[in-house]
């Protein structure tokens, strides 16, 4: 029985009278190897499935889970550790779940008279903005609706999109009647 701390080759020599033979066997030390494990990027409020493809006899995650893969919904970027036991060997791994913030978009409301224009401006995201109705791009748009209209603006920080809704109220011009 051997218990090497590093990879070792053992040679045995045996004899029978005037004849002898030898053979060798190598023992590879696997303890402490890294297990392949997945990482993920998610938007705030989403769930990520992380795990390993390595078959083990037992699994222990830093959050206490004991399965090969886990579903997690961290509020902020979090690292998870995994210990995989396979036979007499143990493997460790680390998985990072990056939480990408959803942009909080601020937008103004407007009130105009029929025939006037309103400028709507959005702020709070790192990418461009898309406004609907109209599929118009830009952080500031000028609109001239003929009736009160609701506008939705969307933008993303990477893969995470945020939206905001605003309204342009169109006031009708008063009809003046002069009596004699």
């Amino acid at each position: 029985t051997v218990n090497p701390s590093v990879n070792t080759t053992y040679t045995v020599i045996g004899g029978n009278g005037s004849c002898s033979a030898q053979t060798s066997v190598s023992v590879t030390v696997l303890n402490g190897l890294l297990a392949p494990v997945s990482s993920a990027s998610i938007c705030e409020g989403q769930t990520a499935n992380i795990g390993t493809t390595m078959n083990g006899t037992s699994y222990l995650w830093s959050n206490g889970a004991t399965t090969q893969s886990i579903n997690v919904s961290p509020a902020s970027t979090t690292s998870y550790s995994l210990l995989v036991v396979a036979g007499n060997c143990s493997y460790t791994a680390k998985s990072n779940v990056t939480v990408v913030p959803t942009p909080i978009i601020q937008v103004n409301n407007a009130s105009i008279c029929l025939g006037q224009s309103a400028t709507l401006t959005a702020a709070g995201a790192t990418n461009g903005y898309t406004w609907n109705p109209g599929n118009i791009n830009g952080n500031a748009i000028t609109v001239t609706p003929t009736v009160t209209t609701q506008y939705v603006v969307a933008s993303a920080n990477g893969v995470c999109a945020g939206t905001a809704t605003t309204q342009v109220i169109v006031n009708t011009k008063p009809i003046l009647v002069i009596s004699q």
Side-chain angles (χ1 to χ4, degrees), residues 110-116 145-149 167-175:
S111 180
I112 60 172
C113 292
L114 183 63
Q116 292 179 330
T146 57
V147 295
T148 297
T149 305
Q167 179 169 274
V168 176
I169 298 170
V170 178
N171 298 300
T172 57
K173 292 181 183 179
I175 299 172

Side-chain angles (χ1 to χ4, degrees), residues 45-63:
Q46 290 183 334
T47 299
N49 180 273
I50 55 174
T52 183
T53 57
M54 175 178 234
N55 290 322
T57 52
S58 68
Y59 306 90
L60 179 61
W61 289 90
S62 55
N63 68 354

